[in-house]
Amino acid sequence: MDDLDPYIPEAGANVETQATVEQPEPDVLEYDRYVVAFSGGKDSLACLLHLLECGVDRNKIELHHHLVDGREGSTLFDWPVTESYCEAIATALGVTMTFSHRVGGLEREMLRENTSTAPVCIPFGDGYKVVGGDGPLGTRRKFPQVSANLSVRWCSSVAKIDCFARYMTNNPKFREGKTLVLTGERAEESKSRANYKRFEPHRSDLRNGRDYQRHIDAWRPVHAWSEQQVWEIIKRWRITSHPAYYLGFGRCSCRSCIFGSKDQWATVREIAPDQFNQIASREREFKITIHRSESVIERANAGTPYDSDPFWIEIANSRTFSAPVFIDPWVLPKGAFGESCGPT
Ligand code: SF4
């Protein structure tokens, strides 16, 4: 693990974080709708399963996923199967699935040259609506950089955080009743995540608005959970986790996540050579690499590809999740408790 900022207190240190202090929890059953920010990864899956175990009405639950490559043809960053996997989970568990995306995905933003950041496509009524896209002209022509600073590591804000905020603030359904937004950050993932609050008004909340109100709370139900607890709830429900875990990835990030370890870049080169070569070629063109000191080629050369099962490589690289959603006997995927490189 070379990029994550692991939370490892020094021996004997008296550390008090949001994970260890007593924190308020929501009255879980009192909301009109529940929106789970669903990456397809194990922690957001645990949030969904926890909601169901709390007895929340499935008709009130919506999984929402951000398509980081958009829907306009780019395949540079994400696992092709993720959209289908998310849909399969939602269908199997009887909850609603919705998507949003930045038009053109991360690749368009990366190549931006004297143009505005693209608009965002959000769910609206029975269809979709395109909002924004009228910001100042600017030039990017570089990859997101490995950094905890979101202005440099712009992929999270462009493809996820801003898309979600625009959905919340532009869809009038959030002005009706009370909404609980669930996200899967866990304290043990990083020092900064350890300091997140477990329950607070969401950043899009406007419960005291003058002209209209939006009551939106944010809850991190698995914040204090260990990875063991996350896998236990998934095992309890006998659910097949995202194919990335079966390949050996410890986190379900983008396939070409900027935080990839050396072994992960070596694996990406092996299982997605076209995308890997495009990234290597863009690094040369931009004259700035994703990782501050090494190119993706240097990182892949220093790593060892995971010994991945061809069955799972094919599914992970497919647009259709063709494996069963429920498996019995349930098997812990090989990526569990492994390298968990990812955004902090
Ligand atoms: S998973 Fe990695 S590459 Fe994808 S948006 Fe997050 S930090 Fe960026």
Side-chain angles (χ1 to χ4, degrees), residues 123-314:
F124 199 87
D126 292 334
Y128 283 87
K129 180 179 183 179
V130 174
V131 295
D134 50 1
L137 304 183
T139 297
R140 182 84 72 179
R141 295 201 61 79
K142 59 169 78 114
F143 281 98
Q145 304 292 294
V146 169
S147 168
N149 179 346
L150 285 181
S151 68
V152 183
R153 190 239 292 176
W154 50 265
C155 48
S156 301
S157 46
V158 165
K160 296 177 177 175
I161 298 167
D162 188 44
C163 292
F164 200 66
R166 286 177 187 271
Y167 177 32
M168 298 275 123
T169 54
N170 285 283
N171 191 314
K173 75 180 182 184
F174 295 110
R175 298 182 191 179
E176 308 286 331
K178 292 165 75 175
T179 304
L180 186 63
V181 171
L182 292 88
T183 54
E185 301 95 340
R186 290 185 301 111
E188 69 173 22
E189 291 179 294
S190 75
K191 199 169 181 175
S192 57
R193 289 189 175 194
N195 285 313
Y196 287 177
K197 286 191 175 145
R198 203 170 303 159
F199 177 58
E200 59 189 335
H202 189 264
R203 62 172 68 195
S204 302
D205 178 77
L206 196 64
R207 70 192 64 182
N208 297 318
R210 201 185 58 185
D211 300 329
Y212 57 87
Q213 290 81 40
R214 253 192 325 263
H215 188 121
I216 308 180
D217 285 326
W219 186 32
R220 299 184 170 95
V222 299
H223 187 250
W225 289 24
S226 63
E227 183 172 348
Q228 177 78 34
Q229 289 173 286
V230 170
W231 288 117
E232 275 169 11
I233 197 169
I234 295 170
K235 179 180 180 185
R236 215 156 47 238
W237 285 74
R238 304 249 176 270
I239 294 201
T240 306
S241 55
H242 189 284
Y245 297 112
Y246 291 92
L247 296 179
F249 287 73
R251 246 178 168 178
C252 174
S253 312
C254 295
R255 181 174 60 188
S256 301
C257 178
I258 59 167
F259 287 98
S261 68
K262 291 170 179 168
D263 288 352
Q264 287 171 0
W265 280 114
T267 307
V268 171
R269 180 164 63 183
E270 198 164 272
I271 67 174
D274 289 352
Q275 286 77 8
F276 181 88
N277 289 333
Q278 280 178 53
I279 290 170
S281 151
R282 290 290 189 194
E283 280 196 332
R284 287 193 293 274
E285 180 188 336
F286 298 154
K287 297 189 175 49
I288 179 163
T289 53
I290 293 174
H291 200 269
R292 289 295 160 91
S293 55
E294 296 165 301
S295 67
V296 289
I297 290 180
E298 288 168 323
R299 287 179 74 67
N301 287 345
T304 306
Y306 295 144
D307 181 18
S308 302
D309 182 338
F311 171 81
W312 285 111
I313 296 175
E314 191 179 331

Side-chain angles (χ1 to χ4, degrees), residues 1 3-8 188-192 342 344:
M1 182 158 56
D3 290 316
L4 189 64
D5 167 25
Y7 173 50
I8 305 173
E188 69 173 22
E189 291 179 294
S190 75
K191 199 169 181 175
S192 57
T344 57

